Amino acid sequence: MIDIALNGSQQVVNASNSPEVIEELTKTIETYRELMVASDIGAWEYFTETGFLNCNEEYFLLLGRSINEFDDSGKGNLNETWTNLLHPEDREMAATRFEEYVNNPTDKIYESFFRMAHANGNWVWIWSRGRYVNSRQGNNSKRIIGTHTDVTASKKVEEQLQLEKILLRTLIDNLPDAIYIKDAAGRKIVANIADVANIGAQSEADVIGKTDLELFNNEIGLRGYQDDLNVIEAGKAIVNKEELFFDKAGNKHWLLTSKVPVRNEMGQVERILGIGHNITERKKSEEALNKLNEELNLQSEELRRQAQDLKLANAQLISQKEQELEKAIAQGKFEIASEVLHDIGNALVGFGSYLNRINRVMDRYNVDTIKSLALFIKSQQSALERAIGADKANALVSLTDSIYKSQAENKGEISTAVTELLNILSHIQDILSIQRQFVKGHGGSHDRKMVNLVNIIDDCKAMLLASADKKGIQLKIAIAPGEYVLKGDHTKLMQVILNVLKNSIEAIDLEKDEKTIEINLSNANGFFELRMADNGKGFDAETGNKFFKRGFTTKESGTGLGLYNCKSIIDSHDGSFQIQSDGPGLGAVTAIKLPCNSVAIQAAS
């Protein structure tokens, strides 16, 4: 029998063989010993009967220790040379595993991983392997030999990879996008939480190993499976493909899908990495935007049609006015001229009401909202490009900007038409003023009818109430007891009161907490006195002196004929017309006096 020692301090061989055999065996043993030293592998030998663990020098060098620090007398030293050096967390597991192998001799290899204490205070990961040594006759020699290998570096790499794997999985499971990996047959091997939810499954285990054909038994599954085969066979990625699908409840969803081929070292596609970004909300926004565009186009067309109708009505009105006035002048008949003036006055009142309606429509037509939408989308162009791609982002910006410009152009055209109509009205009023002077010179003032100022005020209130309410202005009316009937032109007097009240509404600052217009009608000293007071902008004395000059106006779009014509109308009724203010910001008071007589009152009663 030959005894082989693991270190040079013990006898190498002890046998009765020939010197040549002994020399050859000794060389072989030395060769194995040097190989173990060169490979930094520690060797150990355990004798199960004595409990003695015999170790070579490299065994201890792995731990930064010297073989001379340990007893090699052959006595039981397992605790000193191994057990006591184990990490507390690994000790029980490692000891139990070694003991099980010692107590159950087999031909199998003993293998275990554990940490051992290094002399510098660190812990070294050891890969321990060994097996029982049998005699030539196949009997158990009650001796186990093995090796210790330092695997600290690989363990750290393994732990780092495991940590990174956990972090990566945590990341993809918490992303809102669906992320998945498929094998070369299109079967899913990884599916994050979002992907599982999109499929409508309960867990990842329900989808692993299945193709899209198995997960969606319809055209959606067929489409997805064919895309997978195309990526695998052609090796080309599918990027940002919009896909429609329905969930278990039948709700429609949209995904922006990308599928990328993953190649092995041979260049063959063996995996598919897929990402699905949910763009359902974006598609809903696009649909809402398209619907809004259609509605705006319809409104624009309606407003354009109304503008054309207004132009036509205006042309017809002017034509009618010119024809009737020419006829009246040609015939030289006062009765015809008077009737024409009365009809035109009534038409102007109705026309003014129609313009108010158009202005209310324009007030609701808020182009600034569309402009804000266009500017917002343009400011978010970079984010939209990342989300939906540069082409679609540019298209969306261009679309909203085009809508804004189109609607702004339409509103500008209508506003221009309304301004033109207002100028035409002023022109007509100027013509009527001239005609009134002509009628007056022919005694037309003696043929006026009985009119009731209370009814005129009520009619004016009805026409302006909606506009005042919209701006938060209160109309307060106080009429003293009595009859307020006189001979006059109902249309013209109504025109005066409407003009004054409209001026008051426009003069009031909408930011004021209290916005009021007070109308007071009383009878004193043979005159009907109508007072209309507002808490608007007011004016200084210099401006007040210019109000009744022909062409003077404080409005950007005014004609300077409103107050001039109002005073002319009141003068034609032998009355007085005054406007006063205590200064800028202190409001204004308009006082109108009209003569009354008992004959008119008796005739009215």
Side-chain angles (χ1 to χ4, degrees):
M1 179 180 176
I2 301 175
D3 294 327
I4 301 175
L6 295 176
N7 56 67
S9 62
Q10 296 182 353
Q11 185 178 7
V12 177
V13 294
N14 182 17
S16 58
N17 296 41
S18 65
E20 292 82 5
V21 173
I22 295 174
E23 182 180 0
E24 184 66 26
L25 289 174
T26 301
K27 289 180 180 181
T28 301
I29 293 170
E30 289 301 324
T31 299
Y32 280 112
R33 183 179 295 152
E34 292 301 323
L35 280 172
M36 297 182 76
V37 171
S39 59
D40 288 334
I41 296 176
W44 54 268
E45 181 180 26
Y46 181 69
F47 298 91
T48 59
E49 290 185 339
T50 62
F52 174 63
L53 182 64
N54 186 28
C55 308
N56 72 345
E57 186 175 3
E58 282 68 32
Y59 176 98
F60 296 105
L61 288 177
L62 293 178
L63 306 176
R65 305 174 189 276
S66 171
I67 192 172
N68 298 324
E69 300 175 20
F70 299 89
D71 181 14
D72 61 352
S73 61
K75 300 178 181 178
N77 64 345
L78 185 62
N79 289 339
E80 176 187 356
T81 55
W82 183 60
T83 308
N84 294 341
L85 296 176
L86 290 172
H87 192 288
E89 295 178 2
D90 302 338
R91 185 172 297 147
E92 182 178 355
M93 177 275 299
T96 301
R97 190 164 191 160
F98 185 70
E99 184 178 354
E100 289 176 352
Y101 185 81
V102 170
N103 294 332
N104 298 282
T106 65
D107 291 335
K108 295 181 180 180
I109 298 294
Y110 156 76
E111 185 174 26
S112 182
F113 288 90
F114 43 77
R115 287 165 289 180
M116 294 186 71
H118 194 278
N120 61 10
N122 293 327
W123 295 97
V124 180
W125 273 101
I126 297 296
W127 178 29
S128 180
R129 304 179 78 241
R131 69 178 299 168
Y132 268 102
V133 178
N134 296 327
S135 65
R136 292 181 178 179
Q137 292 76 26
N139 299 323
N140 190 326
S141 64
K142 299 183 180 181
R143 185 177 61 155
I144 304 172
I145 61 172
T147 59
H148 272 191
T149 305
D150 184 349
V151 293
T152 304
S154 61
K155 271 291 185 179
K156 288 182 178 180
V157 172
E158 180 182 341
E159 291 174 353
Q160 184 64 29
L161 289 175
Q162 183 65 22
L163 177 60
E164 291 178 357
K165 180 180 178 181
I166 294 172
L167 291 175
L168 180 60
R169 187 57 199 242
T170 303
L171 174 63
I172 67 171
D173 273 338
N174 286 276
L175 287 174
D177 293 341
I179 299 176
Y180 51 86
I181 300 175
K182 297 179 180 179
D183 61 17
R187 296 184 293 259
K188 289 204 174 183
I189 56 178
V190 174
N192 73 341
I193 293 175
D195 187 45
V196 172
N198 284 345
I199 296 172
Q202 296 297 318
S203 66
E204 184 181 23
D206 295 334
V207 303
I208 294 300
K210 297 180 180 178
T211 65
D212 282 0
L213 282 176
E214 297 171 293
L215 295 172
F216 298 97
N217 189 23
N218 50 33
E219 67 278 2
I220 296 174
L222 179 61
R223 179 187 66 204
Y225 184 65
Q226 288 177 342
D227 285 346
D228 292 342
L229 293 182
N230 290 336
V231 172
I232 294 168
E233 294 173 0
K236 294 183 179 179
I238 295 175
V239 180
N240 291 338
K241 179 181 180 180
E242 290 188 0
E243 294 187 302
L244 172 66
F245 72 97
F246 295 87
D247 60 19
K248 293 289 186 180
N251 298 315
K252 183 167 65 174
H253 294 273
W254 286 89
L255 280 183
L256 198 63
T257 299
S258 295
K259 295 181 178 180
V260 181
V262 180
R263 302 177 185 273
N264 58 22
E265 62 276 5
M266 303 298 294
Q268 299 170 332
V269 178
E270 62 177 16
R271 296 285 187 271
I272 298 175
L273 174 61
I275 300 176
H277 177 62
N278 195 312
I279 57 171
T280 302
E281 293 303 318
R282 194 199 79 188
K283 296 295 287 187
K284 289 181 179 178
S285 298
E286 289 179 359
E287 292 175 359
L289 186 62
N290 291 334
K291 183 177 180 181
L292 174 62
N293 183 39
E294 292 176 0
E295 293 175 353
L296 290 175
N297 287 335
L298 290 175
Q299 291 180 8
S300 175
E301 189 62 31
E302 176 64 19
L303 289 173
R304 188 180 290 108
R305 186 188 63 77
Q306 291 180 2
Q308 293 296 332
D309 291 344
L310 282 174
K311 290 181 179 179
L312 179 61
N314 175 55
Q316 292 174 346
L317 180 61
I318 292 175
S319 176
Q320 180 183 356
K321 171 186 69 67
E322 291 176 348
Q323 291 174 5
E324 292 181 352
L325 283 177
E326 287 176 0
K327 181 179 179 181
I329 294 173
Q331 293 178 349
K333 295 181 180 180
F334 164 74
E335 294 83 1
I336 297 176
S338 177
E339 191 66 24
V340 168
L341 292 175
H342 184 268
D343 290 342
I344 293 175
N346 288 337
L348 288 176
V349 172
F351 199 46
S353 175
Y354 195 60
L355 285 176
N356 286 332
R357 176 187 171 192
I358 296 299
N359 281 329
R360 288 196 296 272
V361 173
M362 294 301 296
D363 288 340
R364 295 195 300 269
Y365 193 68
N366 193 352
V367 178
D368 290 338
T369 301
I370 304 174
K371 180 180 180 181
S372 298
L373 174 62
L375 290 175
F376 173 76
I377 292 177
K378 189 171 184 179
S379 68
Q380 299 297 315
Q381 185 170 1
S382 297
L384 289 171
E385 289 178 354
R386 292 191 298 271
I388 66 177
D391 291 342
K392 293 182 180 179
N394 290 334
L396 183 59
V397 171
S398 176
L399 174 63
T400 53
D401 187 62
S402 175
I403 293 172
Y404 159 66
K405 290 180 179 178
S406 173
Q407 301 311 314
E409 181 180 351
N410 292 339
K411 185 176 182 181
E413 182 181 351
I414 295 171
S415 297
T416 300
V418 172
T419 300
E420 291 176 356
L421 291 174
L422 289 173
N423 291 333
I424 291 171
L425 282 178
S426 298
H427 179 64
I428 295 173
Q429 289 173 346
D430 193 19
I431 294 174
L432 290 179
S433 178
I434 295 173
Q435 295 302 319
R436 278 195 298 271
Q437 298 300 323
F438 175 80
V439 171
K440 182 178 181 181
H442 287 77
S445 60
H446 301 291
D447 194 31
R448 288 176 176 163
K449 299 178 181 179
M450 295 298 174
V451 294
N452 190 322
L453 289 178
V454 176
N455 293 339
I456 294 176
I457 292 172
D458 287 339
D459 290 342
C460 292
K461 176 185 176 183
M463 292 182 65
L464 296 176
L465 186 60
S467 178
D469 284 346
K470 182 177 180 180
K471 298 181 178 181
I473 299 173
Q474 290 183 312
L475 294 178
K476 299 180 179 180
I477 301 177
I479 300 176
E483 296 289 336
Y484 297 92
V485 180
L486 73 156
K487 281 187 177 182
D489 189 324
H490 181 280
T491 301
K492 297 309 167 191
L493 292 174
M494 186 173 183
Q495 177 185 341
V496 171
I497 297 173
L498 279 173
N499 192 77
V500 173
L501 291 177
K502 286 171 63 179
N503 286 344
S504 294
I505 290 174
E506 293 173 0
I508 294 177
D509 187 356
L510 298 182
E511 301 300 322
K512 274 181 171 288
D513 293 333
E514 183 177 2
K515 300 178 282 289
T516 59
I517 298 176
E518 296 180 359
I519 304 172
N520 295 283
L521 181 61
S522 61
N523 185 347
N525 301 321
F527 284 89
F528 298 137
E529 183 173 354
L530 176 62
R531 266 181 102 257
M532 290 173 281
D534 63 66
N535 62 345
K537 298 177 181 178
F539 51 86
D540 54 28
E542 181 180 356
T543 302
N545 293 332
K546 300 178 181 178
F547 274 149
F548 302 111
K549 291 184 179 180
R550 185 181 179 86
F552 176 79
T553 180
T554 59
K555 303 176 183 177
E556 292 182 1
S557 60
T559 63
L561 297 175
L563 292 178
Y564 173 84
N565 289 336
C566 287
K567 190 175 186 307
S568 297
I569 292 172
I570 299 301
D571 288 344
S572 71
H573 284 76
D574 298 324
S576 64
F577 187 96
Q578 294 180 340
I579 301 178
Q580 295 179 342
S581 174
D582 293 334
L586 300 177
V589 178
T590 301
I592 300 174
K593 286 187 177 182
L594 294 168
C596 62
N597 55 69
S598 58
V599 176
I601 297 175
Q602 291 173 2
S605 61

